[in-house]
Amino acid sequence: MRNLYYEIWVDAISKILTVRSSRGMWKFYCMTYISMGMALNLGLIHIALRDLGISIPFYPFDLSFTSVDRIDGFLSFFFSYLLIPILINYVFIFRKQRYKQLLEKYPSRNGRYFAVYFIGTLLSFFVYFAIAFVVLKFHS
């Protein structure tokens, strides 16, 4: 499983480096896309567990720092779902420039692995909610 994680990262890095306009910001773009995908997967797991009646106390975090709901919502999402993938990705990919070793070790798939991962993440939400809708519609 770890190899697939690294292969997706190498594929994302290689693909983003081929886009001339993103070369200066490739670390930011890679970290953003992959961490966001991981955060969405974490959120989907949380929703599925909640629907099964399994709850995790104090999770997700409901933060109220400001009087603006959108800012509080973003901060809650960031600390509940996005911070964990960012830290994991930093430790396993960017710390001590490990990505250089990974780029030598794993071949690029021209963005295919990354695309499948990201699109699969987005589609998993639609599939889950479609199934939930059908189950609720016919269960009632």
Side-chain angles (χ1 to χ4, degrees):
M1 198 63 144
R2 184 178 55 192
N3 288 345
L4 182 59
Y5 169 75
Y6 290 139
E7 287 186 52
I8 291 169
W9 262 101
V10 166
D11 197 41
I13 292 169
S14 299
K15 185 62 178 174
I16 288 177
L17 285 175
T18 63
V19 178
R20 188 179 210 65
S21 62
S22 65
R23 285 189 186 152
M25 297 280 291
W26 70 269
K27 289 179 184 178
F28 174 76
Y29 291 142
C30 286
M31 181 66 92
T32 300
Y33 287 122
I34 293 182
S35 295
M36 189 60 86
M38 291 172 73
L40 292 174
N41 287 329
L42 191 60
L44 184 62
I45 290 168
H46 177 253
I47 291 169
L49 289 174
R50 186 190 66 202
D51 288 350
L52 292 171
I54 302 169
S55 65
I56 302 169
F58 307 110
Y59 195 80
F61 304 117
D62 187 20
L63 305 175
S64 297
F65 291 126
T66 68
S67 60
V68 181
D69 288 340
R70 289 185 182 194
I71 293 173
D72 289 339
F74 171 77
L75 291 174
S76 294
F77 173 79
F78 180 84
F79 285 109
S80 297
Y81 300 108
L82 194 56
L83 185 61
I84 294 167
I86 287 173
L87 293 175
I88 289 170
N89 290 331
Y90 174 77
V91 168
F92 288 119
I93 305 299
F94 291 107
R95 193 183 71 182
K96 297 182 183 177
Q97 298 182 342
R98 180 131 195 266
Y99 61 87
K100 290 180 180 179
Q101 297 168 352
L102 296 172
L103 286 168
E104 291 176 8
K105 184 175 181 179
Y106 297 101
S108 172
R109 309 283 186 205
N110 198 28
R112 287 188 302 253
Y113 279 17
F114 172 65
V116 167
Y117 171 72
F118 199 76
I119 292 170
T121 294
L122 296 176
L123 286 177
S124 66
F125 268 93
F126 293 116
V127 169
Y128 183 82
F129 288 118
I131 291 170
F133 176 75
V134 169
V135 168
L136 289 175
K137 180 116 175 129
F138 292 109
H139 187 265
S140 300

